[in-house]
Amino acid sequence: MSYKNIQPDQTIGIIGGGQLGRMLSFAAKQMGYRVAILDPKENCPAAQVSDLHICAPFHDQIALQELYDISDVLTYEFENVPHQVLEPFLDKIPQGLFPLKFTQDRLLEKETIQKAGFKTVPYLKIDTQKDLKIACEKLGYPVLLKTRSGGYDGKGQQFIHHQDIQVDINGPSILEKVIELKQEVSLIVTRSIHHEVKSFPVIDNIHRAQRLIESSIPTSLSEQLMEKVLHIGKRFAEKIDLIGTLAIEFFITTNNEILINECAPRVHNSGHLTIEACQVSQFEQHIRTITGQPLKETNMIYPALMVNIYGQDYQASLDVLANYPNIHYHLYGKKEMKKNRKIGHVTICTKDIEQREYYRNVMRNILNKDV
């Protein structure tokens, strides 16, 4: 299917109004586009900075039709939009629906990755308690039980350390072998409607309690491993005929094996540092993709460290804002400061490695202590 170029003053419709939609809207508005948001929450983060907000559920066909009618192109900012409801509107969705479809089902995601010729952790499909028992014996302990759909930031996931732990299956699931990791990294890949591919620098990530705490560039991977990650990202994007943005999370094992852990068919939290650290942000690059504009180079301008702000650290983050003027401070406009809910991030850009490590330690003492 071919898509026309969208010019400034035309309207981009974004399905989803969270922080990713907010930052996409910032990028689109800077380039001169109008932005319409569909999201069920009043005064959601993206609606605060956009031209129009349709306040309705994502599966509301009347609301989707309204968004379609007023928009010249459509995109989505998170992967839990039911892909079936978007079928009637496909002619305005350059990304298509396959990226949504395969990332909404962890089993299909693993199968898609392996079919493309790349490695994942060992896994087995789980439907019953009997399946779980047999799979645990096959994979060995420890293992991680995940629901096939709907989970994020550790939700829908249960660790099983030994055979005595009793676990209930909450619907169709997969069981993954827990492996020894040396590192977790991510790669943001963008592929245009003209099949031009650009990747951002490989990003080092640190998680705690299965939540992303810190991201940084340049990666500490060896040049050889970094080049392999970049090659895998580009080839995978081409294999699935990607249009738009794909975030790929990688596991690097202790014997330097590269595994694809999971994907997101959108801009990604770990890529927020591109706003200040690269020649183009992941958000502008995505807008350029769906509007048919040429992609920019993604070179790093400054080494950068990004630290997430969660709800319990809102007050502490205000001290960061007041006392560290060289730090880039982002709040997402969320009204509820819930524990372990991402509400913002800070980014430190500096070529001085000692200074970056100083700020890393300072931020660790202020933010995310309770995650």
Side-chain angles (χ1 to χ4, degrees), residues 91-105:
D91 65 306
K92 288 187 180 179
I93 306 176
Q95 294 154 272
L97 300 185
F98 181 67
L100 273 183
K101 185 177 180 181
F102 91 81
T103 55
Q104 286 175 356
D105 183 333

Side-chain angles (χ1 to χ4, degrees), residues 52 325 365:
L52 178 67
N365 286 330

Side-chain angles (χ1 to χ4, degrees), residues 13-288:
I14 302 176
I15 302 166
Q19 63 262 27
L20 299 179
R22 180 186 181 93
M23 287 179 269
L24 284 169
S25 186
F26 279 139
K29 295 296 290 179
Q30 180 177 325
M31 296 169 69
Y33 293 100
R34 291 176 52 80
V35 179
I37 301 294
L38 172 64
D39 192 278
K41 294 182 180 179
E42 292 185 7
N43 200 36
C44 61
Q48 298 166 19
V49 297
S50 302
D51 297 285
L52 178 67
H53 176 205
I54 300 171
C55 190
F58 301 120
H59 56 76
D60 186 325
Q61 288 291 316
I62 295 175
L64 284 165
Q65 184 66 55
E66 182 182 354
L67 183 69
Y68 174 90
D69 290 341
I70 62 175
S71 301
D72 297 285
V73 67
L74 297 173
T75 189
Y76 38 80
E77 62 110 42
F78 76 128
E79 61 268 38
N80 290 325
V81 183
H83 63 87
Q84 300 91 338
V85 305
L86 299 183
E87 288 280 358
F89 314 107
L90 193 53
D91 65 306
K92 288 187 180 179
I93 306 176
Q95 294 154 272
L97 300 185
F98 181 67
L100 273 183
K101 185 177 180 181
F102 91 81
T103 55
Q104 286 175 356
D105 183 333
R106 285 192 171 98
L107 178 62
L108 179 57
E109 182 177 45
K110 291 283 193 293
E111 292 172 345
T112 299
I113 293 165
Q114 293 194 349
K115 185 178 179 181
F118 305 110
K119 295 181 179 180
T120 68
V121 297
Y123 71 94
L124 288 168
K125 177 184 176 184
I126 304 295
D127 289 317
T128 66
Q129 291 293 147
K130 184 178 179 181
D131 291 341
L132 179 60
K133 182 179 179 181
I134 294 172
C136 285
E137 292 173 354
K138 285 184 177 180
L139 294 177
Y141 299 95
V143 286
L144 182 60
L145 182 67
K146 297 181 178 180
T147 56
R148 281 175 55 177
S149 62
Y152 64 95
D153 283 350
K155 295 180 181 179
Q157 302 184 22
Q158 302 177 75
F159 276 102
I160 306 175
H161 298 284
H162 51 78
Q163 62 184 1
D164 296 330
I165 296 178
Q166 299 300 311
V167 174
D168 292 324
I169 298 172
N170 298 315
S173 304
I174 65 169
L175 190 72
E176 297 180 2
K177 175 69 177 174
V178 177
I179 57 175
E180 289 189 36
L181 298 182
K182 180 168 72 174
Q183 203 162 340
E184 295 182 54
V185 302
S186 59
L187 184 69
I188 314 295
V189 182
T190 310
R191 186 167 179 261
S192 75
I193 61 174
H194 308 296
H195 299 166
E196 180 185 15
V197 180
K198 298 287 184 184
S199 296
F200 285 90
V202 178
I203 303 164
D204 288 352
N205 296 314
I206 295 176
H207 292 80
R208 190 186 305 152
Q210 296 173 276
R211 292 180 176 84
L212 181 64
I213 301 298
E214 299 173 7
S215 296
S216 60
I217 56 172
T219 180
S220 56
L221 290 179
S222 68
E223 186 171 348
Q224 183 181 28
L225 283 174
M226 180 188 70
E227 289 299 329
K228 286 182 178 180
V229 167
L230 289 168
H231 175 74
I232 291 171
K234 184 175 186 293
R235 291 292 295 130
F236 186 56
E238 292 169 341
K239 287 272 190 177
I240 65 171
D241 198 21
L242 174 73
I243 301 296
T245 301
L246 185 72
I248 310 172
E249 296 185 357
F250 293 89
F251 286 161
I252 313 299
T253 70
T254 51
N255 62 354
N256 290 330
E257 189 175 25
I258 300 173
L259 310 176
I260 296 181
N261 175 39
E262 61 184 20
C263 304
R266 51 167 173 79
V267 289
H268 191 259
N269 187 183
S270 65
H272 292 351
L273 50 72
T274 62
I275 296 172
E276 289 88 15
C278 296
Q279 286 182 240
V280 63
S281 75
Q282 62 172 342
F283 303 101
E284 181 183 340
Q285 196 81 310
H286 183 73
I287 295 299
R288 298 182 76 87

Side-chain angles (χ1 to χ4, degrees), residues 331-345:
L331 275 190
Y332 303 150
K334 295 182 178 180
K335 301 307 177 186
E336 294 181 86
M337 302 302 161
K338 294 180 180 178
K339 181 177 174 63
N340 291 339
R341 183 192 194 195
K342 283 192 288 282
I343 62 164
H345 71 271

